[in-house]
Amino acid sequence: MRVRKLEQNRGWAMTVAAGILKPTLLAATSRTWIDGEKIPATGGCIVVLNHISHVDPLLSAHFVYDHGRLPRYLAKSGLFTNKYLGGFLSSAGQIPVERLSRNAIGAYDAAVKAIAEGECIVIYPEGTLTRDPDLWPMKGKTGAARIALATGCPVIPVGQWGAHEVLPPYTKKPLLVPRKNIVMKAGDPVQLDDLLAMPQGPETTAQATDRIMDAITAIVADLRGETPPAERFDPRARGVREIGNPHDVARRTRRTRKRKPSR
């Protein structure tokens, strides 16, 4: 496992975060980093990953940081409402996103600007934890593809596995014993050159999104040693809510069934 020295100026917020989080992650997990040097050492780029646990951002930040880049995230705007946390996140270069609102366009503009300034943006194209029952990457949203097509920057796919054993999806209690191994592997840049030369529109963006998700899925399949589903899970097509815990409906249904009928 090779690591690359960080050349960027971290700033006070990143220095504090790295000083607290990195030793904690080193103590709580073991790591297998593969091909992280494929993340460009300099210049604007996008790192895209599959999303299987709420602890993913901390672990992917560790991966990106260990390979010489400061990760910039598109973070939920609600995190910025607290004066102190919001100030910390802003100082760390994180970008607020107002999901399901017209203001989401502001996050797109901010991400494009960050790329132009040479930043490394980390994006989970699925937009939320995967709803696939077996935790395979599901159908992606178009944000990463739109930013990539607007900037022409490299898009580096990263597959990861193991975070769900540290903090299973939709749970709050981490499972730290026994110590879990986190595996992350970077792939070659997603080939989008032909799409950059085409007129931009929904069809082009959809093709770019599919290529990004295909690249991530291929790496995850390699890490798991398994074959992914022939058709990617699509929450909208399955009638699954895109926000919140998808298991909540099942829990409410079970509770209702247990109630005795009134007389």
Side-chain angles (χ1 to χ4, degrees):
M1 179 175 65
R2 290 181 293 176
V3 296
R4 182 190 294 151
K5 183 180 179 181
L6 181 70
E7 300 292 345
Q8 289 177 271
N9 180 13
R10 293 188 300 182
W12 74 268
M14 274 293 186
T15 299
V16 170
I20 296 174
L21 295 177
K22 188 171 181 179
T24 302
L25 294 174
L26 288 172
T29 63
S30 60
R31 294 144 308 286
T32 302
W33 294 164
I34 305 172
D35 295 338
E37 65 275 6
K38 291 185 177 181
I39 299 174
T42 59
C45 65
I46 301 173
V47 173
V48 289
L49 305 94
N50 57 309
H51 204 357
I52 56 177
S53 170
H54 286 302
V55 78
D56 286 348
L58 298 180
L59 296 169
S60 59
H62 192 180
F63 181 71
V64 172
Y65 186 89
D66 270 358
H67 292 93
R69 299 303 301 266
L70 293 176
R72 309 299 191 192
Y73 287 89
L74 303 181
K76 294 179 181 179
S77 60
L79 298 174
F80 290 78
T81 56
N82 179 280
K83 177 181 178 181
Y84 301 103
L85 178 59
F88 180 85
L89 292 173
S90 296
S91 296
Q94 310 314 309
I95 303 170
V97 177
E98 294 188 34
R99 294 184 62 196
L100 307 179
S101 79
R102 294 180 179 179
N103 291 332
I105 189 66
Y108 166 81
D109 291 338
V112 169
K113 181 175 182 291
I115 293 292
E117 294 173 348
E119 299 288 359
C120 176
I121 303 295
V122 179
I123 297 178
Y124 294 93
E126 296 160 276
T128 187
L129 295 182
T130 180
R131 264 54 175 168
D132 183 275
D134 295 316
L135 300 184
W136 287 102
M138 62 180 181
K139 184 177 178 63
K141 296 184 181 298
T142 61
R146 292 175 57 232
I147 295 168
L149 294 174
T151 62
C153 73
V155 178
I156 309 300
V158 173
Q160 57 125 352
W161 196 241
H164 63 294
E165 296 181 346
V166 177
L167 185 65
Y170 309 106
T171 62
K172 297 180 180 180
K173 184 178 180 180
L175 307 176
L176 302 179
V177 179
R179 196 178 185 210
K180 310 301 189 298
N181 185 53
I182 308 300
V183 186
M184 290 197 180
K185 180 178 180 179
D188 294 323
V190 180
Q191 293 300 315
L192 300 175
D193 290 349
D194 59 320
L195 299 181
L196 288 168
M198 295 172 60
Q200 301 303 300
E203 183 176 346
T204 308
T205 304
Q207 289 185 54
T209 301
D210 286 341
R211 292 185 191 182
I212 289 170
M213 296 310 304
D214 286 345
I216 295 173
T217 302
I219 300 173
V220 174
D222 178 53
L223 296 180
R224 293 176 59 168
E226 300 173 10
T227 301
E231 183 178 349
R232 197 166 287 125
F233 188 90
D234 184 350
R236 293 187 178 183
R238 303 287 186 91
V240 177
R241 293 178 60 201
E242 294 192 31
I243 58 175
N245 187 338
H247 304 298
D248 284 345
V249 174
R251 291 195 184 105
R252 286 196 296 269
T253 300
R254 287 197 296 270
R255 286 198 298 267
T256 301
R257 287 173 179 172
K258 289 180 180 178
R259 294 173 184 167
K260 294 181 180 181
S262 59
R263 294 180 179 179

